[in-house]
């Protein structure tokens, strides 16, 4: 990368933080510093570096692999901030995609396990994380929703779970994998109305839910959908 290209990306990253991220109520100084430090352009597919800091979803592959995309930067940042990751947290991410969100999570948490249903994307994400010097994030190729979320249960309980995509509803099987005080973040609902949903486990069978903001995100594959029968 030439020095002029690097300066251009630095400027684009600054603009992303100031013009996209802050206006979306991402004001945590730790998160803002992290967004400046972890270079999103190192995680986008080849040929898309110039768009790394644009306010849009980016296709993962050309054409997009199974329709998968990187979420818009402001959505990634707000989910990260509101999930309130702690340095002692063991985190599960479902939907690795490019590996960028896993890199952000790993920079705040003790350990991250990220599940990606597409083996090609999983392999690419592993390489990007390694190149970025992220050593506490493990990417596994797995269908998170298969066999009652068996792949998610291997190291449960989790202090935090992030679904990097939308679902019709949060499965109870996932909530059962949260540690006491654990948090789950997901985008829940049907287009055109989805809500960022944060669920905290407050007891063996008790949970508190907050839905502080609206957004839209592509579906995670193989999660259950409600019946669409009409009478």
């Amino acid at each position: 990368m030439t020095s002029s290209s690097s300066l251009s990306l630095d400027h684009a990253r600054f603009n992303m933080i100031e013009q996209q991220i802050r206006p979306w109520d991402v004001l945590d100084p730790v998160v803002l510093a992290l967004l400046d430090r972890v270079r999103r352009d190192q995680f986008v597919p080849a040929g898309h570096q110039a768009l790394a800091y644009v306010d849009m979803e980016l296709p993962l592959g050309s054409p997009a692999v199974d329709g998968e995309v990187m979420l818009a930067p402001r959505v990634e940042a707000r989910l990260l901030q509101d999930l309130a990751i702690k340095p002692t947290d063991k985190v599960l991410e479902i939907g690795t995609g490019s590996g960028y969100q896993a890199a952000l999570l790993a920079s705040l948490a003790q350990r991250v396990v990220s599940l990606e249903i597409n083996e090609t994307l999983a392999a690419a994400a592993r390489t990007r994380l390694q190149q970025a010097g992220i050593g506490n994030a493990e990417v596994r190729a797995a269908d998170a929703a298969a066999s009652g979320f068996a792949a998610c249960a291997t190291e449960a309980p989790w202090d935090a779970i992030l679904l990097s995509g939308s679902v019709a509803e949060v499965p109870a099987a996932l909530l059962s994998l949260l540690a006491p005080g654990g948090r789950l973040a997901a985008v829940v609902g049907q287009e055109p109305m989805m809500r960022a949903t944060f669920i905290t486990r407050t007891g063996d069978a008790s949970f508190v839910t907050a839905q502080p903001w609206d957004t839209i995100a592509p579906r995670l594959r193989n999660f259950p959908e409600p019946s669409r029968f009409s009478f």
Side-chain angles (χ1 to χ4, degrees):
M1 183 180 294
T2 65
S3 58
S4 60
S5 297
S6 180
L7 286 173
S8 178
L9 288 172
D10 288 345
H11 184 66
R13 187 166 63 258
F14 175 83
N15 287 340
M16 175 194 76
I17 293 170
E18 297 302 320
Q19 298 174 13
Q20 300 174 42
I21 306 301
R22 285 185 185 272
W24 245 50
D25 291 330
V26 179
L27 304 174
D28 184 331
V30 174
V31 172
L32 292 173
L34 181 61
L35 294 169
D36 186 50
R37 188 171 74 250
V38 178
R39 299 187 61 95
R40 197 170 192 266
D41 55 278
Q42 294 179 346
F43 288 86
V44 301
H48 286 68
Q49 277 77 15
L51 300 175
Y53 300 104
V54 176
D55 184 18
M56 63 181 291
E57 295 173 350
L58 283 179
L60 293 174
S62 182
V65 178
D66 295 322
E68 296 198 45
V69 300
M70 292 180 73
L71 298 179
R74 56 188 167 84
V75 176
E76 292 172 321
R78 185 76 186 270
L79 285 169
L80 181 71
Q81 172 187 263
D82 292 359
L83 191 52
I85 299 298
K86 299 188 286 291
T88 55
D89 281 347
K90 182 174 67 174
V91 181
L92 171 68
E93 181 192 24
I94 298 177
T96 310
S98 70
Y100 176 66
Q101 189 73 282
L104 296 176
L105 291 165
S107 299
L108 297 175
Q110 182 180 85
R111 183 162 184 264
V112 173
V113 174
S114 186
L115 305 182
E116 171 54 53
I117 195 170
N118 185 287
E119 292 187 10
T120 300
L121 293 182
R126 283 191 207 101
T127 298
R128 293 182 183 120
L129 287 164
Q130 183 179 30
Q131 291 172 342
I134 305 292
N136 61 328
E138 179 186 353
V139 177
R140 299 175 185 171
D143 181 350
S147 303
F149 295 91
C152 303
T154 54
E155 296 184 47
W158 302 96
D159 300 301
I161 299 175
L162 174 61
L163 277 58
S164 290
S166 69
V167 293
E169 59 187 16
V170 177
L174 270 185
L175 294 177
S176 71
L177 302 180
L178 286 173
R183 296 91 58 213
L184 178 144
V187 177
V188 179
Q190 303 283 349
E191 288 195 64
M193 182 58 149
M194 297 183 187
R195 306 293 304 275
T197 301
F198 299 86
I199 303 174
T200 302
R201 186 168 200 166
T202 56
D204 287 345
S206 57
F207 300 86
V208 172
T209 300
Q211 294 183 309
W213 42 280
D214 298 340
T215 190
I216 297 291
R219 276 291 193 251
L220 287 173
R221 287 167 55 191
N222 295 350
F223 273 65
E225 293 287 339
S227 171
R228 295 185 180 275
F229 289 121
S230 58
F231 299 92

